[in-house]
Amino acid sequence: MPIPQKTSPLARMREPVLSPTETYQSATGHISGVVLRMRTPLFWWITFGIGFVLVMVLLLAVTWLLVRGVGIWGVKIPIAWGFAIVNFVWWIGIGHAGTLISAFLLLMRQTWRNSINRFAEAMTLFAVACAGMFPLLHLGRPWVFYWLFPYPDTMGLWPQWRSPLVWDVFAVSTYATVSLVFWYVGLIPDLATMRDQARGAMARVFYGILAVGWRNEARQWQHHQALYLLLAALATPLVVSVHSIVGLDFAASIVPGWHSTIFPPYFVAGAIFSGFAMVLTLVIPVRAVYRLHPYITQRHFDFMSYLMLATGLMVGFGYFTEAFYAYYSGNIYERYMQINRALGPYALFYWLLILCNVLAIQVLWFRQVRHSMIALFITSLVVQVGMWTERFVIVITSLHRDFLTSSWDIYIPTRWDFATLFGTIGFFTACMFLFIRLLPMISMAEIRELVHHRLAHGEVEGQR
């Protein structure tokens, strides 16, 4: 019997608690069994059904939008950006945690990511898909969206490179493409496992095609790991660049409240903040329903809570800096914008975001809250509400009162604005639960690697 090796506290903190008695067969059988053998729980049917109904609402809202135009929304002069841009920025932010967990933590060799990276990567893809809908619909004529690309044409027309809309097209499309390839490459070994574990002929063909001939050979693993690290290195800068460009959409203008150099880093911190909140919102109930406690442990929730608390404090510092810049600049328009946010017609939304994003997260300092799944779930929902409210405040309060008092107006969203918002939430939910039903939500290959590592070092069960 191998002698147990002593590990430092730091090394033990970097690894999730996974019992070494978990063999290859038990880990593979449990995770693949959720898809191949486990009976679909009632929780899945109810949640997917709600998502499907909301998708129908989205289709109705989009159809009516194409028939009548963007006038069905609450947008008007001077509030030309309404719910569409608010929701776009919110969904893009949610999609950032997946890339951070998968790519950045992989490069940092943080093994605790192995149990949640697949889930977070799928969340990224579906959130980006939801985000991409809004700029296209906001065009007014979405069927000519290809004008934004520099395709060769007889008229010699090219996109306006000074337009933030063009920046978003390239940033979001690049982010979506790299994230999709990164997710699929990491999924290939598990697809081969599903192919070998499947009992039905149709399932074996389905997973066999997706596995692209994976045979678990050493040469294949060598090329796979090299490609996986390369894609991680490409994806990591996108975490910073994509939402920085979204922040520059605002900062490049001269609108009071937007024209600030703090927006790119401030938006990146907010994106990671809301992304981790969404990961917690999804993982907590799924872990309970599918009994994934051996793989998603309390340590995972501790780490995600720490990161959410850290980025939340950065966001709170950004709020303070915005107010300080408005005062210190000496610009009367900037000062009035900040006063209007706190005391104007939308003051309720401003103080709501302070409550949700700054005050509510302070409970994460306490171990009892981090170890209570109900408290952690409620906190993550509160953060989601706060981050959406933040986007609403940034977009609307800077536009509804322009430089001229004669152009001031109040923005009131219509039922079609809400239908589109909740419709994309339903689309996201339906896609996530289809993913849970059809593909392994936890990386079996990386879990087996952890099991092998712990058994090879002779770690005793329960050692931390």
Side-chain angles (χ1 to χ4, degrees), residues 24 34 69 85 168 190 242 288 310 337 353 359 388 443:
Y24 295 137
V34 170
I85 305 303
D168 289 335
D190 285 356
V242 173
M337 179 278 307
L353 77 88
L359 301 179
W388 186 90
S443 177

Short mmCIF file of all heavy atoms in Angstrom, two decimals, residues 24 34 69 85 168 190 242 288 310 337 353 359 388 443:
data_model
loop_
_atom_site.label_atom_id
_atom_site.label_comp_id
_atom_site.label_asym_id
_atom_site.label_seq_id
_atom_site.Cartn_x
_atom_site.Cartn_y
_atom_site.Cartn_z
N TYR A 24 -12.94 4.93 -11.50
CA TYR A 24 -13.31 5.35 -12.85
C TYR A 24 -14.75 4.96 -13.16
O TYR A 24 -15.52 5.73 -13.71
CB TYR A 24 -12.38 4.69 -13.88
CG TYR A 24 -10.94 5.11 -13.78
CD1 TYR A 24 -9.92 4.17 -13.88
CD2 TYR A 24 -10.59 6.44 -13.60
CE1 TYR A 24 -8.59 4.54 -13.79
CE2 TYR A 24 -9.27 6.82 -13.51
CZ TYR A 24 -8.27 5.87 -13.61
OH TYR A 24 -6.95 6.24 -13.53
N VAL A 34 -26.82 10.10 -15.61
CA VAL A 34 -27.80 11.19 -15.57
C VAL A 34 -28.46 11.35 -16.94
O VAL A 34 -29.66 11.62 -17.05
CB VAL A 34 -27.13 12.50 -15.14
CG1 VAL A 34 -28.07 13.68 -15.32
CG2 VAL A 34 -26.68 12.40 -13.68
N GLY A 69 -42.24 47.09 -36.24
CA GLY A 69 -41.05 47.90 -36.05
C GLY A 69 -40.76 48.15 -34.58
O GLY A 69 -41.54 47.79 -33.69
N ILE A 85 -30.59 47.36 -25.29
CA ILE A 85 -29.18 47.50 -24.94
C ILE A 85 -28.95 47.13 -23.48
O ILE A 85 -27.90 46.57 -23.13
CB ILE A 85 -28.69 48.92 -25.23
CG1 ILE A 85 -28.98 49.28 -26.69
CG2 ILE A 85 -27.21 49.05 -24.94
CD1 ILE A 85 -28.35 48.32 -27.70
N ASP A 168 -19.01 45.76 -31.51
CA ASP A 168 -19.74 44.67 -30.84
C ASP A 168 -19.85 43.44 -31.73
O ASP A 168 -19.78 42.31 -31.26
CB ASP A 168 -21.13 45.14 -30.43
CG ASP A 168 -21.10 46.13 -29.28
OD1 ASP A 168 -20.12 46.10 -28.51
OD2 ASP A 168 -22.04 46.93 -29.15
N ASP A 190 -15.48 13.03 -23.39
CA ASP A 190 -16.70 12.60 -22.72
C ASP A 190 -17.74 12.10 -23.72
O ASP A 190 -18.53 11.21 -23.40
CB ASP A 190 -17.28 13.76 -21.91
CG ASP A 190 -16.51 14.01 -20.63
OD1 ASP A 190 -15.57 13.24 -20.35
OD2 ASP A 190 -16.82 14.97 -19.91
N VAL A 242 -13.81 41.55 -24.51
CA VAL A 242 -15.19 41.65 -24.98
C VAL A 242 -15.98 42.66 -24.18
O VAL A 242 -16.61 43.57 -24.74
CB VAL A 242 -15.87 40.26 -24.93
CG1 VAL A 242 -17.35 40.38 -25.26
CG2 VAL A 242 -15.21 39.32 -25.91
N ALA A 288 -28.59 19.53 -6.25
CA ALA A 288 -29.48 18.86 -5.32
C ALA A 288 -30.35 17.82 -6.00
O ALA A 288 -30.54 16.71 -5.48
CB ALA A 288 -30.36 19.91 -4.61
N ALA A 310 -15.29 39.31 -4.15
CA ALA A 310 -14.18 40.17 -4.60
C ALA A 310 -14.61 41.06 -5.75
O ALA A 310 -14.36 42.28 -5.74
CB ALA A 310 -12.99 39.31 -5.00
N MET A 337 -26.00 64.74 -13.54
CA MET A 337 -26.34 63.36 -13.86
C MET A 337 -26.27 62.49 -12.62
O MET A 337 -27.17 61.67 -12.38
CB MET A 337 -25.38 62.84 -14.94
CG MET A 337 -25.61 61.39 -15.37
SD MET A 337 -24.85 60.17 -14.26
CE MET A 337 -23.17 60.76 -14.17
N LEU A 353 -29.95 49.04 -6.87
CA LEU A 353 -28.69 48.42 -7.30
C LEU A 353 -27.62 48.53 -6.20
O LEU A 353 -26.81 47.61 -6.05
CB LEU A 353 -28.21 49.04 -8.62
CG LEU A 353 -27.54 50.41 -8.64
CD1 LEU A 353 -26.03 50.29 -8.43
CD2 LEU A 353 -27.81 51.10 -9.97
N LEU A 359 -24.52 46.09 -0.72
CA LEU A 359 -24.87 45.73 0.66
C LEU A 359 -25.21 44.25 0.82
O LEU A 359 -24.76 43.60 1.77
CB LEU A 359 -26.04 46.60 1.13
CG LEU A 359 -25.80 48.11 1.12
CD1 LEU A 359 -27.04 48.87 1.59
CD2 LEU A 359 -24.59 48.48 1.97
N TRP A 388 -28.87 43.62 -13.40
CA TRP A 388 -29.76 44.11 -14.45
C TRP A 388 -30.17 45.54 -14.16
O TRP A 388 -30.21 46.38 -15.07
CB TRP A 388 -30.99 43.22 -14.56
CG TRP A 388 -31.87 43.60 -15.71
CD1 TRP A 388 -31.82 43.12 -16.99
CD2 TRP A 388 -32.91 44.59 -15.70
NE1 TRP A 388 -32.76 43.74 -17.77
CE2 TRP A 388 -33.45 44.65 -17.00
CE3 TRP A 388 -33.44 45.42 -14.72
CZ2 TRP A 388 -34.49 45.52 -17.35
CZ3 TRP A 388 -34.48 46.30 -15.07
CH2 TRP A 388 -34.99 46.34 -16.36
N SER A 443 -17.32 17.26 -16.43
CA SER A 443 -16.27 16.64 -17.25
C SER A 443 -15.82 15.32 -16.61
O SER A 443 -15.12 15.32 -15.60
CB SER A 443 -15.08 17.59 -17.40
OG SER A 443 -14.04 16.99 -18.12
#
